Amino acid sequence: MVLSLAILLSCQLLGEGVARGLNLPVPGPVLGMAMLLVGLRLIPQLALVLRPTVAVVLANLSLMFVPAGVGVVGNLSILSSDWLALSVVLVVSTLAAMLATVGTFLALRRWGQGDS
Amino acid sequence: MGDMAALWSYLSTEPLLWLTATLLAYLAAAQLARALGTPPWANPVLMAVLILAPVLWATSTPYATYFEGAQFIHFFLGPATVALALPLYDNLPTIRKTVLPIVAALLVGSVVAAVSAIGLARAFGLAPAVILSLAPKSTTAPVALGIAEAIGGLPSLTAVLVILTGIVGAVTVTPLMNALRITDWRARGFAVGVAAHGIGTARAFQVHPQAGAYAGIALALNAVLTSLLVPLLVRVLLP
């Protein structure tokens, strides 16, 4: 587990370093994810090392959003008198984005060999 | 009584108390969700927040004090994002066959997320700063805050809108996809990843590992695309 954490944090550190150093519009952890993917392609045994820890981390991904979520409650007043309009916008726009994404994905699926 | 007050004033300023409280609230939320049969509306993030918020309010604990403990959990968002590489790696053979749907759905979904938010907000007559804070709502928080700042939105409002968007997506995705009888986990996961970033991705992993993997790809790709796209869209739509 310590080795897994060291690998994950090293990738994040590298990602942060490159993203900030080159002023890229990508967050460090996202770049770190890409770097780990390359690492996994080069050294497939890494997957065996990482799997147990990653399983625990991803099974509890929701937990990591709780501190930020609590922050939102204290800040709800920032929505002020616009709260109703903002709620409608958030719900409608999120549903529209999901429908557009899923519709496009399914429409183009047949063009790959991936139709199953 | 004086001892109790002294103990409280010690504990309430130490990270241990609110770190433990966050873990316990999350466990209680997960337990409650399981007891209810994990309905989509019983989102673990939402429920844990609804447990913690009244506790903070009743003990008049400022968010800064709470966060001193909770930051240790918040910190793990970074390594957890890196960890998404493993499901991505596991699904590479399928991903290779779905490159076209992935790229096209990402483009369409990302544009619809931003344009619909801007258009609706304009129709409701919301202030320009509020519209600009809404535009990047579907991407992951650090990226959204950066975009909002760059285009003249209010980062603190954006932070609230991003988290709420994540919860809306996580709560609605399952009933929506079930109602449409969409059974392709790749498409379902990808859609919630584009529209509802990490909180949507967390939901996707709850439902199906392949949905989680595709949500993770969508989250990563949309972080890059939104940061390029939203400033352009804003210039075109809000001259």
Side-chain angles (χ1 to χ4, degrees), chain B residues 2-239:
Chain B
D3 287 350
M4 282 299 286
L7 179 64
W8 172 252
S9 71
Y10 169 74
L11 281 181
S12 61
T13 54
E14 284 291 304
L16 175 66
L17 176 67
W18 297 114
L19 175 59
T20 313
T22 305
L23 284 175
L24 291 177
Y26 172 73
L27 286 173
Q31 199 67 39
L32 191 60
R34 217 167 302 138
L36 293 166
T38 54
W41 53 264
N43 180 264
V45 184
L46 180 62
M47 292 208 304
V49 168
L50 291 179
I51 294 169
L52 284 164
V55 178
L56 293 182
W57 181 79
T59 56
S60 42
T61 303
Y63 182 68
T65 308
Y66 166 78
F67 195 74
E68 259 171 56
Q71 63 175 323
F72 300 106
I73 292 168
H74 181 76
F75 173 80
F76 270 88
L77 277 175
T81 305
V82 176
L84 290 170
L86 186 59
L88 228 155
Y89 172 74
D90 290 338
N91 282 282
L92 270 182
T94 348
I95 291 167
R96 283 224 181 81
K97 291 181 196 155
T98 47
V99 169
L100 184 64
I102 284 176
V103 172
L106 170 72
L107 278 169
V108 173
S110 194
V111 169
V112 169
V115 171
S116 63
I118 296 170
L120 282 166
R122 279 191 81 173
F124 280 117
L126 292 173
V130 176
I131 300 178
L132 294 170
S133 311
L134 260 171
K137 69 170 184 6
S138 282
T139 196
T140 183
V143 175
L145 298 193
I147 297 171
E149 211 159 4
I151 61 178
L154 314 161
S156 50
L157 177 59
T158 301
V160 172
L161 295 171
V162 168
I163 300 276
L164 292 177
T165 299
I167 292 175
V168 168
V171 168
T172 55
V173 63
T174 305
L176 179 72
M177 298 297 165
N178 286 350
L180 294 170
R181 297 206 174 80
I182 293 166
T183 52
D184 187 330
W185 292 116
R186 301 168 303 180
R188 289 173 68 133
F190 198 79
V192 80
V194 167
H197 54 88
I199 300 181
T201 302
R203 169 64 189 171
F205 273 108
Q206 262 190 322
V207 176
H208 195 276
Q210 201 176 38
Y214 272 76
I217 308 168
L219 154 80
L221 294 176
N222 199 28
V224 181
L225 183 61
T226 305
S227 63
L228 302 173
L229 195 73
V230 164
L232 279 175
L233 284 175
V234 162
R235 220 171 300 156
V236 176
L237 296 173
L238 296 168

